[in-house]
Amino acid sequence: MEARRGSNTWTPAELSSVEARLAGRPAEYLLAWAVGAFAPDLCLASSFGPQSIVLMHMLSAIDPKTTVFYLDTDLLFPETYELRDRLSERFGMTITRVPASLTLEQQAASYGPDLWSREPNLCCHLRKVLPLRRFLASRPAWITGIRASQTAQRARAARIEWDDANDLVKLNPLLDWPTERVWSYIHSHDLPFNRLHLAGFPSVGCRPCTRAVRPGEDGRAGRWAGFAKTECGIHANRADERAL
Ligand code: SF4
């Protein structure tokens, strides 16, 4: 199948049709279809979370030349940067750094210190959403590790969908995987993972916006604690953006 972009002949109906055809197929099958349809410009977004590790492992067996990228906010944990290097070595895959729109110093000069503590939506927009949009601008499709059980917004996603905020096809192969299945995959394949997960951090983002969760709390309760914010914005569609 030929990747189509620009005037884009991928209609929502076409994507729904492909999704229906691949329904019930395993994540690896969907990834293999995506490689066939979109390589060499296909890319995988990695946050170095458990889902990203599973997808990198699968892709390393299908097409290790697939572009893997991460959004470097300059505020990730040292453990996350260390994991990046271990994953690259383990899978033999190059991991592309996508920098923020501006340095921390430039951000502080323009918006004041510690923007994340006052306006996390704006901080995420500058350090994640805009860099992502630029990076995806020339690509036909991206792969993400979102799962439906993580947030209400993610529960509305499809395994194959049109990303109208970034104007390309979006693939979410692990959408229906429960947390236990992700970890079972990681352990059964003896894959490396972020050491912070052993210290009470089920979800790891930027240092200023991530804390350990307490017993009984939701797995994402440690992200943007104190704010009514559950998403960084990179998975929002246009309707979600209008609602902000
Ligand atoms: Fe800024 Fe926090 Fe968003 Fe990172 S997670 S970009 S520090 S608001």
Side-chain angles (χ1 to χ4, degrees), residues 53-100:
I53 295 163
V54 170
L55 290 170
M56 281 187 74
H57 181 251
M58 291 176 174
L59 273 173
S60 69
I62 298 167
D63 182 4
K65 292 197 190 70
T66 304
T67 297
V68 180
F69 73 95
Y70 72 106
L71 301 171
D72 193 350
T73 61
D74 303 309
L75 291 161
L76 303 179
F77 286 88
E79 290 87 346
T80 304
Y81 290 113
E82 180 203 4
L83 176 62
R84 172 200 59 192
D85 298 339
R86 288 168 66 202
L87 291 171
S88 178
E89 185 177 352
R90 168 74 183 264
F91 298 138
M93 299 177 87
T94 302
I95 300 177
T96 300
R97 174 179 183 264
V98 177

Side-chain angles (χ1 to χ4, degrees), residues 182-213:
V182 174
W183 281 106
S184 172
Y185 186 102
I186 287 174
H187 293 313
S188 65
H189 291 87
D190 193 25
L191 303 180
F193 58 87
N194 197 321
R195 289 187 286 115
L196 289 171
H197 294 312
L198 300 175
F201 293 78
S203 176
V204 180
C206 294
R207 290 192 318 273
C209 301
T210 307
R211 66 157 172 78
V213 302

Side-chain angles (χ1 to χ4, degrees), residues 47-161:
S47 62
F48 307 115
Q51 293 75 218
S52 307
I53 295 163
V54 170
L55 290 170
M56 281 187 74
H57 181 251
M58 291 176 174
L59 273 173
S60 69
I62 298 167
D63 182 4
K65 292 197 190 70
T66 304
T67 297
V68 180
F69 73 95
Y70 72 106
L71 301 171
D72 193 350
T73 61
D74 303 309
L75 291 161
L76 303 179
F77 286 88
E79 290 87 346
T80 304
Y81 290 113
E82 180 203 4
L83 176 62
R84 172 200 59 192
D85 298 339
R86 288 168 66 202
L87 291 171
S88 178
E89 185 177 352
R90 168 74 183 264
F91 298 138
M93 299 177 87
T94 302
I95 300 177
T96 300
R97 174 179 183 264
V98 177
S101 304
L102 64 185
T103 66
L104 291 172
E105 292 74 23
Q106 289 168 330
Q107 181 166 300
S110 298
Y111 299 97
D114 302 345
L115 182 60
W116 46 84
S117 67
R118 293 174 286 109
E119 293 188 68
N121 283 341
L122 177 57
C123 184
C124 278
H125 190 72
L126 295 168
R127 310 202 75 74
K128 293 185 176 181
V129 175
L130 292 180
L132 175 73
R133 200 153 290 173
R134 275 200 296 273
F135 185 75
L136 295 179
S138 61
R139 295 183 179 271
W142 67 309
I143 303 163
T144 90
I146 64 169
R147 293 185 296 109
S149 61
Q150 290 174 315
T151 68
Q153 186 184 94
R154 298 178 189 200
R156 296 193 295 272
R159 291 217 304 168
I160 303 174
E161 61 185 359

